[in-house]
Amino acid sequence: MADRKDSKIPSKVGLIKKKEKKVEKVESKPEKEKEKNKDKSEKVTKKPEKTPENQQKNEEMPQGNGEVAEGAKGPVKDEEFELEPMELPPFEIIIGDRMNPNFFKFQFKNVEYSSGRNKTFLCYQVDIQGGAAETEGLRGYLEDEHSGSHAEEAFFQQVLAYYDKSFHYTVTWYMSSSPCAACAAKLIEILRARKTMCLNIHCSRLFQWEEAEIQAGLQALVRAGCKIRMMRPVDFAYVWSTFVENEEDNFTPWEDCQDNYDYYDERLCDVLK
């Protein structure tokens, strides 16, 4: 019986060897994983070799406009290629001498409800006096889309950006709609900065005249020295002959042109009183 028990019990030497083998197996796993990761990294970082055929294909690659780049000495590397930002023109503001007659008939019509008229048309005339030499005035029109600068602000950015205090400026606007509250505030700042400039605004329609903020803006603009009045039929005729591609046709007032003027003139008087 004692011999059978002894034969079943493994020797100490055998246990030590088995433990060593287990340790060897555990230690060998990280090494294998390292080798696998190393192989993967080599596969990722390894780039295809450039053959003469590939080089020729890269040289003939069109440069975005369908034309082959001239003077290329070799293939353009991806890491060396950079897109330069394009400077786009200000699409929101359009400046010209004379506008389309259809634009005038629609945008300047002094209707009470200006549905679909989401632009502001501004016809300007600038008389400049002073100095030894005679200075030519400015005349033209501009329009906005209400997505960038409004026409009032754009005028002082793109038309009359330069100001010389030794000259006297008389600026007259014929506008399809009166200034909003934000534009009124900006115009007040400009009038305070440009002491030798007078601003006259003739409006076809009043923009949201029932709003308290709009009324306060127009009142403050008048206190700052700006003269505001509504366009009469004779003013529409002047704009037609001066700022519209009229093909030498005479202006024909639309129906209720005089009545609509009377309506808006009363509203403006109520706002400014």
Side-chain angles (χ1 to χ4, degrees):
M1 297 291 290
D3 294 339
R4 289 180 182 178
K5 288 181 181 180
D6 293 337
S7 63
K8 290 181 180 180
I9 297 172
S11 62
K12 293 181 179 180
V13 176
L15 286 171
I16 292 170
K17 287 182 179 180
K18 288 181 180 179
K19 287 181 180 180
E20 288 176 353
K21 287 180 181 180
K22 288 181 180 180
V23 171
E24 286 176 2
K25 288 180 180 179
V26 172
E27 290 178 350
S28 63
K29 284 183 180 180
E31 291 178 0
K32 288 182 180 179
E33 290 178 358
K34 286 180 181 178
E35 290 177 358
K36 288 181 181 179
N37 293 334
K38 188 176 181 182
D39 294 337
K40 287 181 181 179
S41 62
E42 287 179 357
K43 289 179 182 179
V44 172
T45 56
K46 190 175 180 180
K47 295 182 179 179
E49 295 180 359
K50 293 180 181 179
T51 62
E53 294 179 358
N54 292 337
Q55 184 172 349
Q56 187 176 359
K57 287 180 182 179
N58 288 334
E59 287 178 351
E60 295 176 357
M61 187 68 66
Q63 303 301 308
N65 57 359
E67 297 178 358
V68 178
E70 297 179 358
K73 295 182 180 179
V76 180
K77 297 180 181 180
D78 293 340
E79 55 268 19
E80 294 177 356
F81 182 79
E82 294 181 1
L83 288 174
E84 295 182 358
M86 293 178 62
E87 294 185 2
L88 298 176
F91 292 110
E92 295 83 4
I93 302 299
I94 299 174
I95 301 177
D97 296 328
R98 290 177 178 267
M99 73 180 73
N100 185 294
N102 294 326
F103 291 168
F104 168 78
K105 291 177 182 179
F106 179 74
Q107 297 292 344
F108 272 88
K109 197 170 185 179
N110 57 353
V111 291
E112 182 178 354
Y113 300 102
S114 56
S115 176
R117 294 167 175 83
N118 56 354
K119 296 183 179 182
T120 298
F121 278 72
L122 187 156
C123 300
Y124 60 86
Q125 186 168 315
V126 183
D127 297 324
I128 306 174
Q129 297 178 352
E134 293 185 3
T135 305
E136 293 185 1
L138 304 172
R139 189 174 65 185
Y141 87 97
L142 55 87
E143 62 179 279
D144 66 44
E145 292 280 359
H146 286 299
S147 54
S149 298
H150 287 191
E152 298 91 327
E153 185 181 6
F155 172 83
F156 289 104
Q157 293 174 343
Q158 303 185 33
V159 178
L160 196 62
Y162 177 76
Y163 171 75
D164 187 344
K165 63 181 180 180
S166 63
F167 292 92
H168 181 78
Y169 301 82
T170 301
V171 180
T172 303
W173 289 351
Y174 297 90
M175 299 183 61
S176 59
S177 182
S178 61
C180 64
C183 286
K186 291 178 180 178
L187 291 176
I188 292 171
E189 293 179 3
I190 293 171
L191 288 172
R192 289 173 179 172
R194 302 185 179 191
K195 301 292 185 180
T196 61
M197 185 184 73
C198 297
L199 179 60
N200 305 309
I201 300 178
H202 305 160
C203 309
S204 173
R205 300 183 303 275
L206 287 177
F207 175 72
Q208 297 181 357
W209 62 271
E210 295 177 341
E211 300 291 333
E213 186 181 15
I214 299 294
Q215 294 180 5
L218 295 177
Q219 293 167 2
L221 190 55
V222 170
R223 288 196 298 268
C226 178
K227 296 179 180 179
I228 304 176
R229 69 172 179 83
M230 303 308 300
M231 289 180 63
R232 298 184 284 260
V234 65
D235 296 314
F236 291 110
Y238 175 74
V239 172
W240 172 265
S241 63
T242 309
F243 301 100
V244 179
E245 297 172 349
N246 53 53
E247 297 181 355
E248 298 183 356
D249 292 336
N250 294 326
F251 172 69
T252 302
W254 46 82
E255 187 180 359
D256 298 333
C257 183
Q258 180 65 46
D259 293 339
N260 292 339
Y261 160 74
D262 295 336
Y263 168 82
Y264 275 120
D265 186 56
E266 290 180 7
R267 304 289 84 73
L268 181 62
C269 291
D270 292 338
V271 170
L272 300 181
K273 67 181 180 180

